[in-house]
Each structure stands twice: as structure tokens, then as C-alpha cells.
Amino acid sequence: MRKGKILATAVAFAAVLAGSSALAGNLGVAADAALPSGSFNDGYDTGFGIHAIFKLPVTPLVTITGDGGWTGFGGKGDISNINVWNVTGGGTVNLLPLGLGAEYGYFTEVKDWSLVPYASFGFSKLDLALRYKATGDAKWWELRVGVRF
């Protein structure tokens, strides 16, 4: 069942990419600092990650978004480090230059699906975002800085 959801999410994301004739400026890379919250903070230190990002404006007010990437967290004490891979897709409502949105996707290691609400600020090709990821017991805030090319 989970493999089917992962496949469906990946196919939908790929279809958006393949269907766009104007990818220039919509793809990019981002780095993030991930701050564990709640009980997740008891076992893990601040994490860091790298992501591929996608933004396709549909109208001046609506943008289709996607994110695929890795975030690693160092374990505290005897707890082992973890590496979380994710693939998410969703949309943003743009109140220029501020954007409010959400994505839904799958997170490895924690093996869970999650809604990822976020606020973003875009200027030219620069993208700054504050995102909240809550996957089961693993919850963290992510401050992401990206550039589209």
C-alpha cells in the first residue's frame, strides 16, 4: 500500500515536470536547517539537508510546488543518527512576495505520510521558506534557503 502511494506521488510529480514546456526558472536546489520539536528533540540534534525544489506558476496567485530531498539528524547520547528522504507535492497561494502553502508526501526512516504547511518569501530566483514537518513522532521545523535556475 505504501509503495503504491510513493509511486503515485512520484508519477504525479514527474507528470508535472514532463508536462511543463517552461521549466526554466522553475527548478532549483535548497539547503535547510532542521530544528527538532517535541519528543523528537529529546533524541535528536539539529539536522541539515539538501533538496531539489520545483515551482510552477499556474496563475499570479497560485503555484504548484514540489520537493524531493534528504535531511540528516544526529542522535543524542546512544541514539543513532537518522537520514530522512522525502518526496512532497502541493501548492502555494501567493500574496506577493509572501506565499502560504502546503505539500503532502512520504518520509523514509519514519515511514510516514505527512502534510507540510509552510510560509515562503520569494524574491527573483531566491526562495526562503519556514516549513513544519510532523511525521508520526518525528516533528521538526525546517528553515530552507533555495535558488531556482
Side-chain angles (χ1 to χ4, degrees), residues 20-99:
S20 174
S21 61
L23 288 178
N26 297 325
L27 296 174
V29 294
D32 69 72
L35 308 167
S37 65
S39 61
F40 191 57
N41 187 42
D42 295 338
Y44 295 94
D45 290 320
T46 299
F48 299 94
I50 188 161
H51 299 260
I53 57 175
F54 173 74
K55 289 191 168 194
L56 177 65
V58 178
T59 71
L61 293 176
V62 177
T63 302
I64 295 172
T65 62
D67 176 290
W70 162 85
T71 304
F73 295 93
K76 294 180 179 177
D78 293 334
I79 298 174
S80 297
N81 298 347
I82 63 168
N83 294 299
V84 180
W85 291 87
N86 73 273
V87 176
T88 60
T92 303
V93 174
N94 302 304
L95 309 168
L96 301 174
L98 180 66

